[in-house]
Amino acid sequence: MMEKPFALALHGGAGTITRALLTPEMDMAYKASLEEALSIGHHLLSTGHSALEAVEAAVVSLEDNPLFNAGRGSVFNKRGRHEMDASIMCGKTLAAGAVAGVRNVKNPIQLASQVLHHSDHVFLCMQGAEEFARKQGLVFETDEYFYTQQRYEQWQQLRDSNVYMLDHSDELKDKKFGTVGAVALDKHGNLAAATSTGGMTNKNFNRIGDTPVIGAGTYANNHTCAISCTGHGEYFIRAVVAYDISCLMEYKGLSLNQAADLVIHDKLKHMGGEGGIIAVSADGEIAMPFNSEGMYRASWVEGQAPHVAIYKD
């Protein structure tokens, strides 16, 4: 069987991200972090590893980076803790693993992967998911590991109110939808998608967004595409964004870019939903549309130069 050109895309969140809001130093730091995760995934794909392995490794890199709202950089919830969500899906078999509301697990995407590979289930949550993580020998970290001064200050501004923010920053209008994700097509023609998040600053009642919901925030199908979403999760759940894009390709014959643009710039926007997606099709087409001011994003198609961007233009 002839090998296919491989492709990889990843994101580190979307929202009100403009040049005026990022210092040159922060701009460089975000781009360097995206490049590092992209290189990790690209190396695995170039050496014949699977799309599943590549997206997991790329997301682990982003989870380990405190710049992003996932893993180590997760935001504080109402109780001053960190509740994290993640999911991963295989386009070849449609197998998937997802976890929600987990605490102190160093890399929630690895836990989601363990659910996919070593359980009879798709979706585990909270204490049960943590118990499964311990049985699988995954690494746990103390609360101090997840502490970052910026996230703590964000929470301090909101902790005595009933307000929650999507990766809140100094001004309410400065919205950043903090999620990380990766999608890949490997040399064998298989697709995979992975997504991870720390959720909303000051979130209450064990709120869960679209990230761990298969079909909403994450989806992969070898017949169509692999997708990872970032945005206001409630809207992405209601619109079943990831699966909707796949369906438009499968049932209406739209290209990946046509389907993605229709959902992100038309259907989702009309609902009031803000955010974006990264996607790769079965033939290696990349799409990274977003209807917000910016999205931390990167892509690398075999034989082409890597692409890293943040802003709309």
Side-chain angles (χ1 to χ4, degrees):
M1 183 177 176
M2 196 171 76
E3 290 185 345
K4 293 188 175 183
F6 59 85
L8 174 72
L10 52 87
H11 70 76
T16 308
I17 306 165
T18 66
R19 286 183 174 85
L21 292 172
L22 284 184
T23 65
E25 292 77 18
M26 289 301 293
D27 180 291
M28 289 178 60
Y30 275 109
K31 286 180 177 176
S33 299
L34 291 168
E35 288 171 358
E36 181 179 2
L38 192 67
S39 295
I40 289 170
H42 182 272
H43 173 72
L44 289 173
L45 292 171
S46 66
T47 53
H49 288 264
S50 70
L52 262 181
E53 292 172 303
V55 296
E56 180 178 343
V59 169
V60 164
S61 175
L62 296 170
E63 286 180 335
D64 289 345
N65 191 318
L67 285 176
F68 301 103
N69 177 18
R72 189 173 192 178
S74 293
V75 297
F76 288 81
N77 68 6
K78 183 72 173 177
R79 300 170 187 83
R81 300 289 303 276
H82 307 278
E83 291 179 340
M84 300 171 287
D85 311 326
S87 65
I88 189 168
M89 187 167 184
C90 172
K92 180 180 181 180
T93 63
L94 301 187
V99 294
V102 297
R103 298 174 178 175
N104 299 103
V105 177
K106 182 183 180 185
N107 294 109
I109 196 62
Q110 292 182 335
L111 177 51
S113 180
Q114 291 297 307
V115 174
L116 184 158
H117 290 291
H118 300 295
S119 81
D120 296 323
H121 311 299
V122 171
F123 203 162
L124 303 181
C125 72
M126 300 174 190
Q127 292 92 339
E130 292 161 20
E131 180 183 352
F132 180 72
R134 290 187 179 92
K135 287 190 174 182
Q136 297 305 120
L138 293 187
V139 176
F140 280 70
E141 295 287 355
T142 63
D143 290 346
E144 287 71 28
Y145 171 83
F146 298 94
Y147 178 94
T148 60
Q149 187 64 29
Q150 179 196 7
R151 302 297 190 204
Y152 183 75
E153 291 172 0
Q154 291 170 353
W155 176 57
Q156 287 296 300
Q157 296 179 43
L158 300 176
R159 60 179 295 182
D160 296 325
S161 72
N162 290 319
V163 176
Y164 60 84
M165 287 302 297
L166 294 140
D167 201 1
H168 172 79
S169 148
D170 291 337
E171 297 178 11
L172 295 183
K173 65 182 178 64
D174 178 16
K175 303 189 300 296
K176 293 193 286 292
F177 305 104
T179 312
V180 304
V183 294
L185 170 70
D186 63 31
K187 290 182 174 184
H188 313 291
N190 296 318
L191 292 166
T195 317
S196 181
T197 187
M200 295 176 168
T201 297
N202 210 42
K203 64 182 179 181
N204 206 359
F205 312 118
N206 302 118
R207 178 265 182 188
I208 297 166
D210 66 305
T211 291
V213 181
I214 300 302
T218 304
Y219 190 71
N221 186 326
N222 274 11
H223 296 299
T224 54
C225 60
I227 296 176
S228 174
C229 302
T230 174
H232 193 158
E234 279 67 17
Y235 291 96
F236 279 69
I237 293 172
R238 294 171 195 160
V240 201
V241 166
Y243 187 60
D244 195 20
I245 293 169
S246 174
C247 286
L248 286 168
M249 296 177 66
E250 185 172 4
Y251 302 130
K252 295 201 73 173
L254 271 60
S255 70
L256 174 62
N257 275 287
Q258 289 172 331
D261 284 346
L262 175 61
V263 173
I264 297 302
H265 294 300
D266 188 357
K267 298 176 74 172
L268 187 66
K269 198 167 186 179
H270 285 165
M271 291 176 63
E274 186 179 348
I277 65 143
I278 53 166
V280 59
S281 70
D283 59 6
E285 180 184 10
I286 296 280
M288 298 189 289
F290 54 97
N291 62 29
S292 50
E293 288 296 317
M295 182 170 75
Y296 300 112
R297 61 199 187 276
S299 64
W300 201 343
V301 178
E302 183 181 15
Q304 300 180 19
H307 172 72
V308 179
I310 298 177
Y311 315 108
K312 187 172 286 186
D313 50 13

